[in-house]
Structures are given as C-alpha cells and as structure tokens.
Amino acid sequence: MTSTIGNSAETAETDSEATDLGAIRLDAVILGAGVAGLYQLHQLRTQGLQVLAIDSASDVGGTWFWNRYPGARFDSEAYIYQYLFDEDLYRGWNWSEKFPGQPEIEQWMHYIADRLDLRKDILFDTTITSAHFDEQRDRWTIRTDSGQVFDAQFFVSCAGMLSAPMDQVFEGQETFRGQLVHTSRWPATGLDVTGKRVGVVGVGATGIQVIQTIADQVDHLTVFARTPQYVLPMKSPAYGPAEQEAYKARFAELSTTLPHTFTGFEYDFVHTWADCTPERRREILEEIYADGSLKLWLAGFAEMFFDPRVSEEISEFVREKMRARLQDPRLIDILVPTEYGFGTHRVPLERGYLEVYHRDNVELVGVRANPITRIVPEGIELADGTVHELDIIVMATGFDAGTGSLTRIDIRGRDGRRLADDWGRDIRSTMGLQVHGYPNLLTTAIPLAPSAALCNMATCLQQQTEWISDVIAHVRAQGGSTIEPTAAGEQAWVDHHEETVSANLISKTSGWYLGSNVPGKPRRVLSYTGGVGTYRARCDDEAAAGYPNFLIK
Ligand SMILES: Cc1cc2nc3c(=O)[nH]c(=O)nc-3n(C[C@H](O)[C@H](O)[C@H](O)COP(=O)(O)OP(=O)(O)OC[C@H]3O[C@@H](n4cnc5c(N)ncnc54)[C@H](O)[C@@H]3O)c2cc1C
C-alpha cells in the first residue's frame, strides 16, 4: 500500500500480521486532535518522528469541535487556557472576552493548527477501532473504521477525558418521533429550537449552559433535573485591545506560575479557615464569589475539601445565594443541593440560569423521586406514567469520563489482555501516563492524573504531552524498543492516589468524578487530587531519576 498520509510514512517491511495487511509504518500514532493531540503532534514531529494524528472529527479542536450546543463556553479564563511554550503563538491570538464561547475557542484551535501547520499530519473523519500490541515486534497495529492499518512503535492517546458521550441512556430512544441530540453531538449545521417544545435532560455544567441560552427561544422548555448543582455566577467582561495587551504582558508570569498552582488556574488557595474570624471568612467568601469565576471553588479555603464543618458552612453560603435568587420553595427543593458539599462535584458557572425557572414557558420536573423510565414516540415518560410531549430532546447526560474513550476501542496489550476488561475490574494507571501491561501506549487525560475540572486542562495537557515527548526521546536515545510501568510502580501510584483522595470529601460522594454515572463502572475518584504542582513535581522526579517505576528494554 502506498501512503498518501502523514509527512513521510512508509509501508511496513518486517514479517508480521501488519505487513500482510499492508500497514503504514510510523514511529507514532496519536489518537485525537484536540488540545492535547495538537501539541503532542507538534512535539513529536519536532523530534523528527514519523507521526500521524487520527481523529473521528472532521477538523481540529476535540472538545471544541464536538460541543457546539447553544451556550457552550469556557469555565477557564481564556488567557490561561493557552499553550505556553511559545510567546509569539500566545500573543498572536486575541480573545474577545474573559470566558469566550465555543465558536471562538474552535477558531483559536484552527489558529493553532494553521500556525504550526499541523493538518497535513492529521487524518480526519477516521475512527480508531482497534489497537493491538505485537509482542514479537514491540509495535502497535492500529486499525480504523475505514480499513486503514497502521504499524507504530508508540501509540499515544490524546482521546480526551470527556469525549465518550453518554448518549444511550434510556430505553426507547430510537422510537422518539422528534429530534434527539446529545449536547456533544450537536449538528454542525445547527438545530432550530425556535418555537419548539424542547426537553433538556440533565442539569450539570452543560445542561445549565443550554438551558440558560435557549429558554427565551423555545416555545416551551421542560427541564428534567435529578442531581442538583451548586452554581456560581459568571462574569465575562469584553476584551478590547487594552485588556488583550494587559493579559499578553503577563505571559512570562503565567508561564512560570500556572504549572505549579494547585489546579493549573492562575489563582491558588491562599486563605486558611482556622486563621480567620467568622466575619473575615464571610468577607473573603463574598469577595471571591463576586469575582464571577471558579475562585470560590479553586481558590477559597482548602479545608473545604477535608473538613465536613468547613464544607457545610461554605455550602450553606452558596445555598443562601441560590435560595435568594430562586425564592420559590419548590424550585429550591429541586435545584439546591443538600446531600453533598460544595466543590465535591464539578462546579458550573452560569449566567442568569436560576432566573430562567421564573419564566412562564419553563417547567422544572424533578426526576429523583419520579425518574425517567423511557423515551416514547411522543416524548419522555416518567415512573408515574406521566408523558411530557416534546419536539426535541436534548441529552445533557454527560460522558463516560476518563476511561470511555479508550474502553470503546479494542485495545489489547501484552498476553492479549484487553484494556476494557482490565478497567472493567479496576481503574488503574501509572501517573495517568501509562498502564501496566500496555507497553508503548502513552496516555493523556486518563484516570489518576489531574483532570477536568480539578485542573485547567490546557495546563495539565501541556505537561502530560511534554512528559510523553521526553520519555519517547529517552527510550529512543537509549536504543530501547519499549517502555512500560512496572507492576510495583503502578501499585505505588494507585496507593498514593488512594491515600490522597481518601482524605478528600470528593471520595465520599457519587457522580461522574467517581464514574457512578456509568452502570457497572468500578468506583474510583478519577482525577488525581494531590494538586497539579505536586503531580508535576512527581512526574519530573520520575524522569530525573531515570524512570525507576518503568521498565525500558
Ligand atoms: C462542554 C465542555 C466544556 C469544557 N470546559 C472546560 C474549561 O472551561 N476548562 C477546562 O480546563 N476544561 C474544560 N473542558 C474539558 C476539555 O475536555 C479539555 O479542556 C480539553 O479540551 C480536552 O482536550 P483533549 O485533547 O485531552 O481531548 P478532546 O478535546 O476530548 O479530544 C479528543 C479527540 O479524540 C477523538 N477520539 C476519541 N476517540 C477516538 C477514536 N476511537 N478514533 C479517533 N478519534 C477519537 C475525539 O473525536 C476528540 O476529537 C470542557 C469539556 C467539555 C465537554
């Protein structure tokens, strides 16, 4: 087979299953062309590797390609959700506001791809269906849905933590007579909700953005709410040339500080609850609440994550704010959380969301006691037999986070072991960068590394891809053919992760942070909670010590 793909791919020459299939031989295949995949591609190409990125999407962007639903926008400040390896690249893009919407973020990703000339080494509209490690040759055989076969020494996953949609949730979805759409598969050509009866299932971060955006366009909006969320009001001031110059002038400072804060955001935990009087605590809470960002969550009082009394006081502060806006006891009952502490679930930012429920055309249906049982041709049916008739159903039902994008692929490592089986028993990894039993599979955004939204992902993904590039360079410089974490090294990381999370109140809750939105998924806090700076230091130490928890051969 002659390759027309990638910068300099060749046909495999050695005797193998891959050769028989006419596989295209590469040094590395990268899965995904989002924030991680683009930078990984740039780095490996700079090292001189023959490398190709593959994405199911028809252009770059990952999350920002797929999530086109109305109201999709950043919860990270735009000027920190950035690549920081090149000041010219940083300075070359002008954000129009503090928390821009999806169209602008997608344009920024196009800007990155254009500036780094990445598209020529990306295969779009192509899904990787299987990846098998060939132990005789120490190489991966990677197959796609269009029948191509790639033979690569390294298989680098940049598949995303939130890219496997939970879109098959209810019995009878296929019977619905109207349009049913998952938020992350919103049609690129748009979906006209004007004058329609629309149902939104889910009130997480995404549901909230959709609801507050479409409420005044639809004829009637029915919101199906199961798990209430603590919400924080967003302030997104517009940026003109002066504001743009001001954040650009901070490039050196941000490059130095962001990688080392607790969450990869510009702010950090600076207050100590125990050191403050009740009046001072209140003052601080009011001040950071008024910031209109995630500060109350990620730069308030760290004790909130560990001390149930502090958690309760801060939770009550947020509840008070929500109750004051909702007023109606029925709305308060359905929408204000009481069963878990503020910050132990993903905290959404919103703009006028709670006020939406005061509109005449908006109906709130609590589905905790009276759950959705199935989708019927007319709409959504609840356990008590009520049917809500709808023209459009928006599934804001989230993702199979962390593991779903890889377990949906047939990935087989040493001894034919399947990743879906391994993770179906126990979700494990070594620093989120490799999994024991899968040599030369290098991973970003998988469990046991810091991840959304306990991390500003641009910060974390840069660090992870840089670590991967360095380790690949190291293996090649040593003349090695494989790298794999040792069983003991992996166990040590899992133990460290568990020790860290067990002190954190997040581990006492349920929700997608623990995989409990996916039936049968083993329970584990998916994100590393020891802090982005600490995590980075441990990764750096591992490299500096010559990768003692990995076997290179
Ligand atoms: C609605 C939404 C809002 C968010 N907002 C923020 C925010 O404000 N701040 C923040 O830090 N993070 C946010 N996140 C998290 C976000 O996912 C990350 O910030 C980041 O974009 C992830 O980049 P990535 O490259 O790791 O993965 P992704 O962007 O998810 O890209 C992965 C790519 O892999 C491709 N892929 C997966 N499987 C296959 C396969 N088998 N074959 C081929 N291609 C495949 C997908 O098509 C996708 O394009 C948000 C996430 C969502 C869903």
mmCIF file of all heavy atoms in Angstrom, residues 500-520:
data_model
loop_
_atom_site.group_PDB
_atom_site.id
_atom_site.type_symbol
_atom_site.label_atom_id
_atom_site.label_comp_id
_atom_site.label_asym_id
_atom_site.label_seq_id
_atom_site.Cartn_x
_atom_site.Cartn_y
_atom_site.Cartn_z
ATOM 1 N N THR A 500 -4.286 9.917 48.838
ATOM 2 C CA THR A 500 -4.585 11.337 48.638
ATOM 3 C C THR A 500 -6.090 11.576 48.618
ATOM 4 O O THR A 500 -6.595 12.476 49.274
ATOM 5 C CB THR A 500 -3.966 11.823 47.303
ATOM 6 O OG1 THR A 500 -2.623 11.388 47.262
ATOM 7 C CG2 THR A 500 -4.012 13.322 47.171
ATOM 8 N N VAL A 501 -6.809 10.751 47.849
ATOM 9 C CA VAL A 501 -8.256 11.013 47.704
ATOM 10 C C VAL A 501 -9.042 10.620 48.949
ATOM 11 O O VAL A 501 -10.108 11.176 49.202
ATOM 12 C CB VAL A 501 -8.902 10.315 46.479
ATOM 13 C CG1 VAL A 501 -8.331 10.834 45.198
ATOM 14 C CG2 VAL A 501 -8.826 8.817 46.554
ATOM 15 N N SER A 502 -8.520 9.669 49.718
ATOM 16 C CA SER A 502 -9.323 9.205 50.850
ATOM 17 C C SER A 502 -9.544 10.322 51.869
ATOM 18 O O SER A 502 -10.547 10.344 52.572
ATOM 19 C CB SER A 502 -8.683 7.986 51.510
ATOM 20 O OG SER A 502 -7.468 8.400 52.073
ATOM 21 N N ALA A 503 -8.615 11.287 51.909
ATOM 22 C CA ALA A 503 -8.780 12.412 52.838
ATOM 23 C C ALA A 503 -9.750 13.451 52.278
ATOM 24 O O ALA A 503 -10.191 14.347 52.987
ATOM 25 C CB ALA A 503 -7.424 13.061 53.077
ATOM 26 N N ASN A 504 -10.064 13.332 51.006
ATOM 27 C CA ASN A 504 -10.842 14.367 50.315
ATOM 28 C C ASN A 504 -12.327 14.002 50.308
ATOM 29 O O ASN A 504 -12.684 12.863 50.006
ATOM 30 C CB ASN A 504 -10.313 14.479 48.873
ATOM 31 C CG ASN A 504 -10.735 15.760 48.211
ATOM 32 O OD1 ASN A 504 -11.917 16.099 48.198
ATOM 33 N ND2 ASN A 504 -9.772 16.476 47.675
ATOM 34 N N LEU A 505 -13.172 14.976 50.611
ATOM 35 C CA LEU A 505 -14.607 14.688 50.680
ATOM 36 C C LEU A 505 -15.186 14.278 49.326
ATOM 37 O O LEU A 505 -16.265 13.690 49.267
ATOM 38 C CB LEU A 505 -15.364 15.906 51.234
ATOM 39 C CG LEU A 505 -15.028 16.259 52.691
ATOM 40 C CD1 LEU A 505 -15.687 17.580 53.099
ATOM 41 C CD2 LEU A 505 -15.461 15.141 53.646
ATOM 42 N N ILE A 506 -14.476 14.557 48.244
ATOM 43 C CA ILE A 506 -14.934 14.100 46.921
ATOM 44 C C ILE A 506 -15.145 12.588 46.945
ATOM 45 O O ILE A 506 -16.094 12.064 46.365
ATOM 46 C CB ILE A 506 -13.910 14.477 45.818
ATOM 47 C CG1 ILE A 506 -13.892 15.987 45.618
ATOM 48 C CG2 ILE A 506 -14.220 13.764 44.503
ATOM 49 C CD1 ILE A 506 -12.827 16.478 44.640
ATOM 50 N N SER A 507 -14.263 11.887 47.665
ATOM 51 C CA SER A 507 -14.345 10.416 47.666
ATOM 52 C C SER A 507 -15.582 9.904 48.404
ATOM 53 O O SER A 507 -15.925 8.737 48.293
ATOM 54 C CB SER A 507 -13.079 9.814 48.288
ATOM 55 O OG SER A 507 -13.037 10.137 49.659
ATOM 56 N N LYS A 508 -16.271 10.786 49.132
ATOM 57 C CA LYS A 508 -17.470 10.343 49.886
ATOM 58 C C LYS A 508 -18.759 10.576 49.088
ATOM 59 O O LYS A 508 -19.846 10.334 49.590
ATOM 60 C CB LYS A 508 -17.577 11.108 51.220
ATOM 61 C CG LYS A 508 -16.281 11.236 52.000
ATOM 62 C CD LYS A 508 -15.858 9.917 52.638
ATOM 63 C CE LYS A 508 -14.634 10.069 53.527
ATOM 64 N NZ LYS A 508 -13.342 9.995 52.823
ATOM 65 N N THR A 509 -18.625 11.106 47.862
ATOM 66 C CA THR A 509 -19.832 11.424 47.089
ATOM 67 C C THR A 509 -20.015 10.406 45.964
ATOM 68 O O THR A 509 -19.312 9.393 45.901
ATOM 69 C CB THR A 509 -19.726 12.830 46.464
ATOM 70 O OG1 THR A 509 -18.674 12.822 45.506
ATOM 71 C CG2 THR A 509 -19.461 13.892 47.510
ATOM 72 N N SER A 510 -20.958 10.696 45.100
ATOM 73 C CA SER A 510 -21.044 9.920 43.863
ATOM 74 C C SER A 510 -21.249 10.924 42.735
ATOM 75 O O SER A 510 -21.462 12.099 42.989
ATOM 76 C CB SER A 510 -22.192 8.918 43.934
ATOM 77 O OG SER A 510 -23.381 9.600 44.186
ATOM 78 N N GLY A 511 -21.177 10.437 41.502
ATOM 79 C CA GLY A 511 -21.264 11.356 40.359
ATOM 80 C C GLY A 511 -20.189 10.974 39.361
ATOM 81 O O GLY A 511 -19.474 9.987 39.556
ATOM 82 N N TRP A 512 -20.051 11.764 38.312
ATOM 83 C CA TRP A 512 -19.111 11.328 37.270
ATOM 84 C C TRP A 512 -17.663 11.430 37.708
ATOM 85 O O TRP A 512 -16.797 10.762 37.137
ATOM 86 C CB TRP A 512 -19.393 12.017 35.943
ATOM 87 C CG TRP A 512 -19.107 13.496 35.825
ATOM 88 C CD1 TRP A 512 -20.031 14.495 35.887
ATOM 89 C CD2 TRP A 512 -17.849 14.133 35.549
ATOM 90 N NE1 TRP A 512 -19.422 15.719 35.693
ATOM 91 C CE2 TRP A 512 -18.074 15.528 35.473
ATOM 92 C CE3 TRP A 512 -16.541 13.675 35.360
ATOM 93 C CZ2 TRP A 512 -17.062 16.453 35.226
ATOM 94 C CZ3 TRP A 512 -15.529 14.603 35.121
ATOM 95 C CH2 TRP A 512 -15.795 15.961 35.054
ATOM 96 N N TYR A 513 -17.363 12.221 38.714
ATOM 97 C CA TYR A 513 -15.987 12.245 39.232
ATOM 98 C C TYR A 513 -15.567 10.855 39.726
ATOM 99 O O TYR A 513 -14.392 10.556 39.833
ATOM 100 C CB TYR A 513 -15.882 13.215 40.401
ATOM 101 C CG TYR A 513 -15.575 14.652 40.032
ATOM 102 C CD1 TYR A 513 -15.546 15.068 38.712
ATOM 103 C CD2 TYR A 513 -15.285 15.590 41.012
ATOM 104 C CE1 TYR A 513 -15.258 16.371 38.384
ATOM 105 C CE2 TYR A 513 -14.992 16.903 40.687
ATOM 106 C CZ TYR A 513 -14.975 17.288 39.362
ATOM 107 O OH TYR A 513 -14.672 18.583 39.040
ATOM 108 N N LEU A 514 -16.535 10.033 40.094
ATOM 109 C CA LEU A 514 -16.244 8.674 40.576
ATOM 110 C C LEU A 514 -16.769 7.614 39.618
ATOM 111 O O LEU A 514 -16.798 6.432 39.951
ATOM 112 C CB LEU A 514 -16.862 8.449 41.960
ATOM 113 C CG LEU A 514 -16.177 9.210 43.086
ATOM 114 C CD1 LEU A 514 -16.999 10.423 43.482
ATOM 115 C CD2 LEU A 514 -15.940 8.316 44.273
ATOM 116 N N GLY A 515 -17.198 8.017 38.461
ATOM 117 C CA GLY A 515 -17.686 7.057 37.463
ATOM 118 C C GLY A 515 -19.069 6.515 37.752
ATOM 119 O O GLY A 515 -19.534 5.605 37.072
ATOM 120 N N SER A 516 -19.767 7.073 38.750
ATOM 121 C CA SER A 516 -21.040 6.439 39.111
ATOM 122 C C SER A 516 -22.190 6.786 38.170
ATOM 123 O O SER A 516 -23.285 6.277 38.348
ATOM 124 C CB SER A 516 -21.412 6.726 40.567
ATOM 125 O OG SER A 516 -20.971 7.962 40.989
ATOM 126 N N ASN A 517 -21.929 7.602 37.155
ATOM 127 C CA ASN A 517 -22.965 7.838 36.135
ATOM 128 C C ASN A 517 -22.977 6.743 35.072
ATOM 129 O O ASN A 517 -23.842 6.733 34.201
ATOM 130 C CB ASN A 517 -22.736 9.196 35.447
ATOM 131 C CG ASN A 517 -21.393 9.254 34.720
ATOM 132 O OD1 ASN A 517 -20.413 8.682 35.183
ATOM 133 N ND2 ASN A 517 -21.331 9.919 33.597
ATOM 134 N N VAL A 518 -22.012 5.817 35.146
ATOM 135 C CA VAL A 518 -21.923 4.752 34.140
ATOM 136 C C VAL A 518 -22.208 3.412 34.818
ATOM 137 O O VAL A 518 -21.448 2.996 35.703
ATOM 138 C CB VAL A 518 -20.515 4.714 33.494
ATOM 139 C CG1 VAL A 518 -20.439 3.629 32.422
ATOM 140 C CG2 VAL A 518 -20.149 6.075 32.920
ATOM 141 N N PRO A 519 -23.298 2.745 34.425
ATOM 142 C CA PRO A 519 -23.637 1.491 35.089
ATOM 143 C C PRO A 519 -22.479 0.494 35.041
ATOM 144 O O PRO A 519 -21.884 0.275 33.985
ATOM 145 C CB PRO A 519 -24.840 0.976 34.277
ATOM 146 C CG PRO A 519 -25.409 2.194 33.614
ATOM 147 C CD PRO A 519 -24.263 3.120 33.371
ATOM 148 N N GLY A 520 -22.133 -0.074 36.195
ATOM 149 C CA GLY A 520 -21.112 -1.126 36.252
ATOM 150 C C GLY A 520 -19.683 -0.627 36.311
ATOM 151 O O GLY A 520 -18.752 -1.427 36.447
#
